Amino acid sequence: MRDLDPRLPSSPGFWRSPLRGPRFTSVLGIVLLAGITVLFVTGLLSYAAYNPDLSPVNDKTPDKGLLGFYLFAWPTDPTWLYRLTQGVHVTLGLTLIPVLLAKLWSVVPRLFTLPPARSVAHALERISLLLLVGGALFQFVTGVLNIQLDYLFPGSFYPLHFYGAWVFFAAFVAHAVLKTPLALRNLRAMREERDDLVSPRPAAPTVSRRGALWFVGGGSLLMFATNAGRSFDSPLRATAVLSPHGGPEPGNGPNGFQINKTAAHVGIVPAETRDDTWRLVIEGRSGTVRLSRADLLAMELHSEALPIACVEGWATSDQWWRGVRLRDLAARVGHEDDPPDVFVESLQRRGAFRSGALRANQVADPRSLLALYVNGEALSPDHGYPARIIVPAAPGVLNTKWVARMTFGDLA
């Protein structure tokens, strides 16, 4: 077709970059094929870690139906499991942003191709492409906003990101089935074939395609270096200036490690946490028990080294926690040999996770504690004084702070 008006984006002559071409696009596509598959799997694992089928308070997507087919009881081993899966999810997502942007740039002429559909198959391909582009932008933008605690989108992040992921991945799979064989042929080809991405009248090159790929790879490496350190103990921790809670640790001393929300932010009233007023209410098979902090300190205390890992991708290094085992508290209310699920409620007045549920396997684990101390010192108000939950491999929001009530019993 003759290029009648190169001023229109629907004209092939409008797009003059000499970098666009099937091999350039194919390299980026293969990288995204592997990376986005890992993102999807680790995202599903993150959702499973909340044990959403255990209790309504844990499930922010109650209408998931068949989309929850993969759910299973989240394990407590290894203790760094959630730290790994969510760290990979967030760090890889940020690292792929330059690749995604380059890929979208490389195929943007196809979004303006006329006629919109030459056949039914072509129409389905165009629809899948629109869903793919829209879904990718939606998932990456909402994910970045969430890890930076900037909730600028309407509604809750959890259902938006969950359902958006399924729509995006369905379009991604359809696109991959159609395009992966062609991408592999392009990569194996000795000479690049011409297609609709190659400009009929390219501008003079200022960089080679190999140089452009190195530029994209450098951008991804920069994103990795400035984000990865908040998920893992490594020298990169000092370079994680763009990651959630980037920069130096907040303060010094035993309580000088990261938090998401302060006591004041979630509405904790100091008068409620004083030793003479605070009581932990425990309910179970044999009735109700009320325990003061002094009562808890009189019980057998245990110490465990456990990290805190949050959905935003940041994690602390192992901290030494000391407190009462959850299974010992279950025994106080009639569950001596068979610790059940537990529903935990906080003094917290604001926020999505004022309460949370833990499975029986988490309660039974001897490393699961109602912590009273951290690193040899009483918990600070921001770390949950007078008592908080700490469970190996559990998402940070289920390690409830400022615990007020624990109800033991089957919740599923």
Side-chain angles (χ1 to χ4, degrees):
M1 179 181 293
R2 206 157 49 95
D3 189 3
L4 297 178
D5 191 349
R7 295 172 298 177
L8 297 176
S10 57
S11 168
F14 180 85
W15 308 97
R16 301 192 59 200
S17 173
L19 296 179
R20 289 192 179 92
R23 293 194 72 183
F24 182 76
T25 297
S26 296
V27 170
L28 299 173
I30 293 300
V31 173
L32 288 175
L33 175 64
I36 288 177
T37 300
V38 174
L39 284 182
F40 186 68
V41 172
T42 52
L44 295 186
L45 290 175
S46 176
Y47 181 64
Y50 282 73
N51 289 320
D53 56 343
L54 177 62
S55 174
V57 299
N58 285 25
D59 191 2
K60 304 304 178 183
T61 55
D63 301 320
K64 59 186 178 296
L66 293 176
L67 297 182
F69 69 91
Y70 60 90
L71 294 175
F72 55 94
W74 188 250
T76 55
D77 279 307
T79 60
W80 40 260
L81 178 60
Y82 190 72
R83 184 182 185 183
L84 173 65
T85 59
Q86 193 61 11
V88 168
H89 183 76
V90 171
T91 302
L92 180 60
L94 293 170
T95 301
L96 286 178
I97 287 176
V99 183
L100 175 68
L101 294 177
K103 169 70 172 178
L104 294 179
W105 173 86
S106 74
V107 299
V108 71
R110 287 178 176 163
L111 298 177
F112 297 92
T113 301
L114 294 177
R118 295 188 295 268
S119 64
V120 173
H122 184 244
L124 292 175
E125 180 182 341
R126 293 294 297 278
I127 291 172
S128 72
L129 183 60
L130 289 174
L131 289 175
L132 183 66
V133 172
L137 293 175
F138 179 83
Q139 288 300 104
F140 277 80
V141 169
T142 56
V144 169
L145 289 174
N146 180 69
I147 64 175
Q148 298 297 340
L149 305 180
D150 291 328
Y151 304 115
L152 303 179
F153 36 80
S156 170
F157 166 77
Y158 296 93
L160 289 174
H161 207 64
F162 178 80
Y163 294 121
W166 280 103
V167 172
F168 166 60
F169 198 71
F172 177 75
V173 169
H175 189 75
V177 169
L178 291 170
K179 295 298 184 181
T180 299
L182 178 60
L184 293 175
R185 285 200 302 272
N186 287 329
L187 292 178
R188 289 194 297 263
M190 295 298 294
R191 293 193 312 170
E192 181 166 78
E193 301 177 2
R194 295 186 64 85
D195 69 356
D196 58 331
L197 294 178
V198 179
S199 174
R201 51 188 192 92
T206 56
V207 65
S208 68
R209 287 176 178 166
R210 180 173 295 182
L213 289 174
W214 276 109
F215 179 76
V216 173
S220 290
L221 183 62
L222 180 63
M223 291 296 289
F224 179 85
T226 54
N227 287 283
R230 281 289 153 186
S231 297
F232 309 99
D233 287 324
S234 72
L236 289 176
R237 199 168 183 89
T239 71
V241 294
L242 297 182
S243 67
H245 303 296
E249 298 290 355
N252 300 311
N255 280 275
F257 56 95
Q258 293 290 354
I259 58 171
N260 252 5
K261 302 289 193 303
T262 65
H265 180 83
V266 299
I268 299 299
V269 178
E272 294 179 308
T273 62
R274 294 202 316 260
D275 289 354
D276 60 338
T277 57
W278 177 83
R279 295 294 182 271
L280 173 66
V281 179
I282 308 175
E283 296 183 29
R285 180 188 292 155
S286 62
T288 301
V289 173
R290 293 171 61 86
L291 300 173
S292 66
R293 184 175 166 88
D295 294 330
L296 292 169
L297 291 173
M299 297 178 65
E300 184 177 1
L301 302 183
H302 301 268
S303 297
E304 298 293 339
L306 298 171
I308 296 176
C310 284
V311 70
E312 295 91 1
W314 66 268
T316 71
S317 55
D318 286 354
Q319 311 295 324
W320 274 99
W321 307 90
R322 186 164 177 79
V324 180
R325 286 174 172 165
L326 297 188
R327 66 185 191 184
D328 291 344
L329 293 173
R332 289 290 295 264
V333 286
H335 301 280
E336 291 83 0
D337 301 319
D338 57 341
D341 309 329
V342 64
F343 181 65
V344 184
E345 298 172 78
S346 173
L347 294 172
Q348 179 178 339
R349 286 177 169 76
R350 295 188 291 272
F353 284 91
R354 295 184 295 274
S355 56
L358 298 170
R359 282 194 182 276
N361 68 302
Q362 294 173 311
V363 176
D365 193 298
R367 296 164 298 180
S368 297
L369 303 176
L370 180 71
L372 306 171
Y373 295 93
V374 63
N375 299 323
E377 185 176 285
L379 296 168
S380 69
D382 290 341
H383 279 297
Y385 185 88
R388 68 166 297 161
I389 299 292
I390 186 71
V391 172
V397 291
L398 295 183
N399 292 313
T400 308
K401 297 190 286 187
W402 312 291
V403 176
R405 180 181 293 268
M406 302 175 68
T407 304
F408 291 92
D410 294 332
L411 299 176

